[in-house]
């Protein structure tokens, strides 16, 4: 299974909105609602930010939102803050009953 | 609050078997699926495989021939074995709870280095 495709880096100024894309196939992203997004700081374990395409776990700021169109899922961070600077990964369930992660995106707050 | 803690050797010799255990506290392992995920230095996340309490497993096709995941419900823990390791298997290994889709609880991760 091939990793989902994400941009290597995305940047924005405080207060701006940024969007990270996650492109797969009809066998993963396009075929299931089980798309999740994770935030990871250096040296730390990933943290779940979005599940089932667009749902936020308790405690995740509503600045984070998710969506999907066809084989591409997206994570949008509105009102970008300094603490949002981190790596972000998407993941999806697949037709083989396995999981696949995205290549990862480094978000820089200018 | 569910907590996961990985344990095992931090150094494994090439061609040997990597063995890690994940202890689950704050909840029963007899619900949900439980996964192993790794991250090579400076690289992205790679899903290794999962197990359910009945022993049902599934593995990443790229690792399937070398991976075994098992569960011990009496100890509320699950384990990973990866055989015939090479330097390419050097990574931080995480265990995580699979809440039928999202990985909602993660261990802190443990670095395993493959070197002679």
């Amino acid at each position: 299974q091939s990793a989902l495709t994400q941009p290597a880096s995305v940047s924005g100024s405080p207060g701006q909105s940024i969007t990270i894309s996650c492109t797969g196939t009809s066998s993963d992203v396009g075929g299931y609602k089980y798309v999740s997004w994770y935030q990871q700081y250096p040296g730390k374990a990933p943290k779940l930010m979005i599940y089932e395409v667009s749902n936020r776990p308790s405690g995740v700021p509503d600045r984070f939102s998710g969506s999907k169109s066809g084989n591409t899922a997206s994570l949008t961070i509105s009102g970008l803050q300094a603490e949002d600077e981190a790596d972000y990964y998407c993941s999806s369930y697949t037709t083989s009953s396995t999981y696949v992660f995205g290549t990862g995106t480094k978000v820089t707050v200018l | 609050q569910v907590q996961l803690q990985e344990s095992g050797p931090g150094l494994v010799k090439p061609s040997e078997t990597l063995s890690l255990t994940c202890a689950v506290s704050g909840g029963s392992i007899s619900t949900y699926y439980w996964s192993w995920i790794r991250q090579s230095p400076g690289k992205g996340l790679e899903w290794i495989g999962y197990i359910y309490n009945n022993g049902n497993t599934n593995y990443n096709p790229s690792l399937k021939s070398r991976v075994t995941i098992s569960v011990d419900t009496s100890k509320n823990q699950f384990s990973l074995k990866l055989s015939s390791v090479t330097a390419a298997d050097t990574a931080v290994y995480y265990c995580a709870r699979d809440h039928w889709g999202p990985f909602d609880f993660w261990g802190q991760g443990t670095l395993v280095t493959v070197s002679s």
Side-chain angles (χ1 to χ4, degrees):
Chain A
Q1 55 193 27
S2 298
L4 308 176
T5 301
Q6 297 181 231
S9 63
V10 174
S11 62
S13 299
Q16 286 187 331
S17 293
I18 62 169
T19 296
I20 303 168
S21 61
C22 170
T23 301
T25 69
S26 57
S27 296
D28 39 63
V29 174
Y32 298 93
K33 68 176 183 178
Y34 300 116
V35 176
S36 305
W37 288 90
Y38 302 86
Q39 177 190 62
Q40 186 181 34
Y41 293 116
K44 299 296 186 181
K47 173 188 176 182
L48 178 65
M49 303 299 283
I50 296 287
Y51 67 96
E52 291 180 7
V53 176
S54 60
N55 295 297
R56 279 189 313 277
S58 174
V60 173
D62 60 6
R63 304 183 288 105
F64 292 85
S65 62
S67 62
K68 189 180 82 166
S69 177
N71 296 337
T72 298
S74 299
L75 173 72
T76 297
I77 309 176
S78 305
L80 195 63
Q81 298 184 7
E83 63 256 36
D84 299 332
E85 185 162 297
D87 293 327
Y88 291 83
Y89 294 90
C90 60
S91 78
S92 175
Y93 189 69
T94 81
T95 52
S96 302
S97 300
T98 61
Y99 290 97
V100 61
F101 282 97
T103 50
T105 298
K106 180 177 180 60
V107 169
T108 301
V109 181
L110 302 171
Chain B
Q1 180 82 340
V2 174
Q3 293 185 311
L4 297 89
Q5 178 68 57
E6 305 91 349
S7 62
L11 181 63
V12 181
K13 290 182 169 54
S15 80
E16 295 190 344
T17 296
L18 177 160
S19 296
L20 296 173
T21 296
C22 180
V24 179
S25 59
S28 173
I29 201 169
S30 296
T31 320
Y32 305 108
Y33 283 76
W34 302 88
S35 276
W36 286 99
I37 296 158
R38 71 180 184 179
Q39 186 171 34
S40 300
K43 302 294 185 183
L45 299 169
E46 180 180 30
W47 178 77
I48 298 171
Y50 63 56
I51 190 164
Y52 193 58
N53 69 76
N54 62 2
N56 179 40
T57 57
N58 204 359
Y59 304 128
N60 187 320
S62 68
L63 299 169
K64 189 172 185 176
S65 64
R66 300 193 291 129
V67 174
T68 302
I69 297 176
S70 58
V71 65
D72 187 337
T73 55
S74 67
K75 294 183 179 179
N76 224 42
Q77 65 185 34
F78 63 108
S79 299
L80 168 71
K81 290 188 185 300
L82 181 65
S83 64
S84 304
V85 297
T86 69
D89 295 310
T90 292
V92 174
Y93 286 77
Y94 296 100
C95 56
R97 189 177 81 168
D98 174 359
H99 195 161
W100 297 296
F103 303 108
D104 57 354
F105 290 99
W106 296 64
Q108 65 186 26
T110 186
L111 174 63
V112 178
T113 301
V114 178
S115 175
S116 56

